[in-house]
Amino acid sequence: YKTDLWSFGVILFRTLTGRPLFKTTPSLKQLKSTLPHEQLFQAAQWPQLSAGAADLLTRLLVHDPTRRITWE
């Protein structure tokens, strides 16, 4: 289910910002090269988002699936 939450985060990001999270379709190599502690979503770059939306995206778009938000 962690992949589903990642995918949901990518779709939600696109819906809320009107822009894709990645400039191109990320390859597995690109995703693996992203450091596990690197945060892909930076809330400060999107001041038009509500605090709740930014918080949810921050929790969904965590590279390390063991640190990503869960369904519970």
Side-chain angles (χ1 to χ4, degrees), residues 5-23:
L5 288 170
W6 170 267
S7 300
F8 175 67
V10 172
I11 293 167
L12 184 62
F13 179 88
R14 177 67 184 250
T15 302
L16 294 175
T17 66
R19 296 184 180 185
L21 182 60
F22 300 99
K23 294 185 190 293

Side-chain angles (χ1 to χ4, degrees), residues 21-69:
L21 182 60
F22 300 99
K23 294 185 190 293
T24 62
T25 303
S27 67
L28 185 56
K29 183 178 178 182
Q30 285 175 306
L31 289 176
K32 285 184 176 181
S33 70
T34 304
L35 298 175
H37 63 276
E38 184 177 343
Q39 184 65 41
L40 294 174
F41 173 73
Q42 302 293 327
Q45 295 176 350
W46 304 99
Q48 74 273 23
L49 294 179
S50 70
D55 180 60
L56 180 57
L57 285 170
T58 300
R59 293 170 184 257
L60 288 168
L61 298 174
V62 175
H63 183 270
D64 181 357
T66 62
R67 294 181 38 219
R68 195 175 302 144
I69 193 172

